[in-house]
Amino acid sequence: MIADLLRGVQDAQDEAYASYEKALTTNAAAPAPPRVLIILEEAHEFLSAERIDRMRILFEQVATIARRGRKRWLSLVFVTQLPQHLPRQIYGLVNSYILHKITDPQVVRDLRQTVSGIDESLWGRLTSLAPGQAIVSFPHLARPLLVPWTRHHASCVW
């Protein structure tokens, strides 16, 4: 059901974007397609390493949106408190990270192997971040940063 829902959103966005591109080439007026953000809350519940083989169609649909969607203004957010339960394939689809306090040393080690560009001083602080702090890594930033992450910001992510 989730894969079908995601496919429907992607198809609608593909159609809207194709109409927009066609209008641009013919100099016709056309509204830009909406910017769509799909939030997969508790992503570990249905994209866990243990379930990915049984939910192959869902994973393929998520991967397709992650690879092709940004150009068409269709984006995904994976939200999890248990990143260690997500399969490595998911990390290959992610280009931005918001990391809150993680105290499990094994999870931090795993993330270090997966998330590039974060320097050692920030990794060292990850286990002791205060409430309202996060390490953010986005492609448009020159380097990852330690930032205050208030409820106002979190409401945009959750």
Side-chain angles (χ1 to χ4, degrees):
M1 184 173 102
I2 296 169
D4 287 343
L5 178 66
L6 291 175
R7 188 175 352 278
V9 170
Q10 180 186 354
D11 290 347
Q13 193 71 1
D14 285 347
E15 287 176 28
Y17 195 80
S19 295
Y20 173 68
E21 282 188 323
K22 183 177 179 183
L24 289 177
T25 61
T26 61
N27 292 324
R35 294 176 189 257
V36 177
L37 178 64
I38 300 169
I39 301 171
L40 302 172
E41 177 72 47
E42 302 297 341
H44 61 273
E45 289 290 327
F46 56 93
L47 290 174
S48 69
E50 298 82 30
R51 294 181 184 175
I52 200 166
D53 289 332
R54 292 181 287 158
M55 300 179 89
R56 193 91 203 117
I57 294 171
L58 173 61
F59 177 75
E60 289 170 5
Q61 186 60 45
V62 166
T64 299
I65 291 172
R67 281 191 219 104
R68 297 180 49 218
R70 281 189 296 268
K71 177 187 175 206
R72 293 166 181 83
W73 300 337
L74 176 60
S75 301
L76 290 170
V77 173
F78 301 105
V79 179
T80 184
Q81 294 178 18
L82 302 169
Q84 68 272 26
H85 292 271
L86 292 175
R88 288 221 180 264
Q89 298 98 308
I90 292 292
Y91 292 103
L93 302 174
V94 175
N95 64 3
S96 299
Y97 292 88
I98 301 170
L99 303 171
H100 293 275
K101 182 178 182 177
I102 299 174
T103 57
D104 185 328
Q106 182 60 47
V107 174
V108 174
R109 276 192 295 276
D110 290 348
L111 285 171
R112 274 183 163 169
Q113 294 174 358
T114 308
V115 182
S116 62
I118 297 178
D119 64 48
E120 289 302 313
S121 66
L122 287 178
W123 282 119
R125 295 187 71 177
L126 186 60
T127 59
S128 60
L129 292 178
Q133 289 184 320
I135 296 172
V136 297
S137 175
F138 300 125
H140 66 278
L141 294 177
R143 60 185 167 78
L145 301 170
L146 174 63
V147 298
W149 199 259
T150 65
R151 283 188 179 270
H152 175 327
H153 293 111
S155 66
C156 298
V157 174
W158 307 118

